[in-house]
Amino acid sequence: MTWFRILGSVALVSLTATAAWAGDKTLLEACFSPAALAAVPGEETITKGNRSFDAQIKITGFTPASPVPDALRGAIRRVNLPPGEKAIALTFDLCEQRGEVAGYDGRIFDYLRQQGVKATFFAGGKWMVSHQQRTAQLLADPLFEIGNHTETHANLRLLQPAAVNQQVLAPQKAYEDARGRFGAQQCVASSAPDSMSRIPVQPTLFRFPYGACNDASMKAVNDAGMLAIQWDVATGDPDPHVSAARIAQAMVNEAKPGSIIVNHANGRGWHTAEALAIAIPKLKAKGYKFVTVSELMTMGKPVITSECYDRKPGDTNRYDFLSALQHPLNSNAQNSTAKISSDKNGATAAVSPPSKSKTAKSAPQKPQATDH
């Protein structure tokens, strides 16, 4: 009982959020036909060179939620559950950088709905702006919840404080705007009177791009009222060379009670849809039930680390150098005079945008096995 008292106000927010996904499909069915929800061939394709949604999201006047209590600060990798409880959380990243419009892999959503499987989607602020109809569907669906995945999938370890603040708060504002637009629709007015109250006002969960953080960025996230959600099972699905069988094998063999599994649903999970059709029946046969991250948090004690990583401490440090070599993900928000500095974990806190040298131009942008 002591642990549940420690959860305090953040747990209460999570419990409130859970109520939205524990309800029925009245709101979803009132606003969206089966055809509107269904996958559209080609919608998963990422369009490079499309800058239609590159404008920075305005966060002036936005008020974040209350800060996270000390006991819940840090990187939450999984949840230790009571003996005999077999629950896991499937999570999917919906990230989108500047200079592109990422995809929406409708096959994933179709299959999860068909199977009645709950999931948590970490959406970028820019992705929510460029996918407004799909975002509204996620808001309305009782199976799903939305978390924050920064504005443009920037490596927060490389940014100045003002740019970190923009990346962290912009998705909160994009979500708030999406919720407001959805709530104003006639289909919502004709639904149950309390239907919108079941949809959280702001996301309470956050995922760091690349699984990389430092003290300053963690503080910014927790101060904005969000729990930092990592994972303990990474399938490697952003790598197009990883087959559906291997992705499914990672889920089935590595998951244990309280696991948080990371995949992608924005067109960068190349074989994820096929893998789910293999893994979910096997996991169900093992006795696992699927819950949202918010629900999982209420079922046991979170495992929290001070450092963010993929499989072992330090393994996401490489993204500092890859980001600087290839392109600054949030160049218009960075201070161009910033100097590189390090925190106690060896993570860079800020970096100057790389010069446009021939070396930088010719550096191949190979698919990364970890593109969270």
Side-chain angles (χ1 to χ4, degrees):
M1 295 303 294
T2 301
W3 176 249
F4 290 99
R5 287 197 296 272
I6 290 175
L7 289 180
S9 59
V10 173
L12 183 59
V13 171
S14 293
L15 283 167
T16 303
T18 300
W21 302 291
D24 58 31
K25 296 182 179 179
T26 302
L27 185 59
L28 182 70
E29 293 173 349
C31 294
F32 303 103
S33 67
L37 294 172
V40 175
E43 192 179 6
E44 73 281 0
T45 303
I46 299 166
T47 306
K48 293 288 188 180
N50 186 334
R51 299 189 173 275
S52 302
F53 303 96
D54 275 8
Q56 198 172 72
I57 297 168
K58 295 185 181 353
I59 59 172
T60 305
F62 175 77
T63 303
S66 299
V68 169
D70 290 345
L72 286 170
R73 286 176 174 253
I76 297 170
R77 298 195 58 79
R78 52 170 284 102
V79 176
N80 285 338
L81 300 180
E85 190 71 70
K86 299 189 72 173
I88 53 177
L90 288 178
T91 72
F92 300 85
D93 291 354
L94 295 169
C95 33
E96 182 171 295
Q97 299 178 6
R98 288 196 170 90
E100 69 173 18
V101 173
Y104 172 91
D105 196 337
R107 299 169 301 167
I108 291 174
F109 299 87
D110 286 355
Y111 185 72
L112 294 176
R113 287 176 175 132
Q114 175 195 344
Q115 294 295 312
V117 170
K118 294 182 178 182
T120 300
F121 295 90
F122 288 92
K126 183 174 179 292
W127 188 94
M128 285 188 273
V129 172
S130 63
H131 296 79
Q132 293 187 11
Q133 181 78 343
R134 294 305 193 182
T135 300
Q137 292 172 0
L138 294 181
L139 287 169
D141 200 310
L143 288 174
F144 305 146
E145 70 176 338
I146 298 176
N148 179 327
H149 198 34
T150 72
E151 181 178 20
T152 59
H153 204 256
N155 184 342
L156 299 190
R157 288 156 47 122
L158 306 182
L159 302 184
Q160 292 280 19
V164 171
N165 190 62
Q166 172 69 30
Q167 286 286 332
V168 170
L169 294 187
Q172 301 296 85
K173 182 63 166 63
Y175 175 99
E176 185 180 82
D177 291 345
R179 185 180 184 277
R181 284 191 303 269
F182 179 58
Q185 293 184 17
Q186 182 59 41
C187 61
V188 175
S190 61
S191 188
D194 64 341
S195 57
M196 284 303 296
S197 68
R198 299 175 183 173
I199 300 176
V201 175
Q202 292 183 23
T204 59
L205 310 175
F206 181 93
R207 172 161 288 161
F208 284 98
Y210 310 105
C213 71
N214 58 7
D215 291 346
S217 58
M218 180 64 74
K219 184 177 186 303
V221 169
N222 289 159
D223 283 353
M226 287 177 284
L227 304 177
I229 306 299
Q230 294 280 118
W231 55 83
D232 65 330
V233 178
T235 66
D237 73 335
D239 187 340
H241 302 101
V242 176
S243 67
R246 282 179 58 192
I247 295 169
Q249 185 179 45
M251 286 190 270
V252 174
N253 292 347
E254 296 180 30
K256 49 189 174 289
S259 281
I260 299 173
I261 301 173
V262 59
N263 277 302
H264 294 72
N266 65 334
R268 289 190 166 93
W270 298 93
H271 305 293
T272 308
E274 298 92 334
L276 290 174
I278 301 170
I280 286 177
K282 291 183 178 180
L283 287 166
K284 284 184 174 180
K286 283 188 167 187
Y288 283 107
K289 64 179 178 180
F290 298 91
V291 298
T292 64
V293 171
S294 290
E295 290 175 321
L296 192 66
M297 286 290 296
T298 69
M299 298 174 69
K301 182 177 180 178
V303 176
I304 303 176
T305 60
S306 59
E307 183 178 353
C308 298
Y309 54 90
D310 180 21
R311 293 181 180 273
K312 60 183 180 180
D315 63 3
T316 59
N317 291 356
R318 69 185 184 275
Y319 289 106
D320 294 353
F321 305 102
L322 289 173
S323 295
L325 178 66
Q326 294 175 0
H327 56 85
L329 295 177
N330 196 27
S331 57
N332 66 336
Q334 276 184 227
N335 184 338
S336 61
T337 62
K339 295 181 180 181
I340 297 178
S341 61
S342 300
D343 68 5
K344 66 183 180 182
N345 293 326
T348 49
V351 66
S352 301
S355 60
K356 295 181 179 179
S357 64
K358 290 182 180 179
T359 302
K361 285 182 179 180
S362 61
Q365 298 188 17
K366 297 180 180 179
Q368 300 298 321
T370 305
D371 186 26
H372 309 295

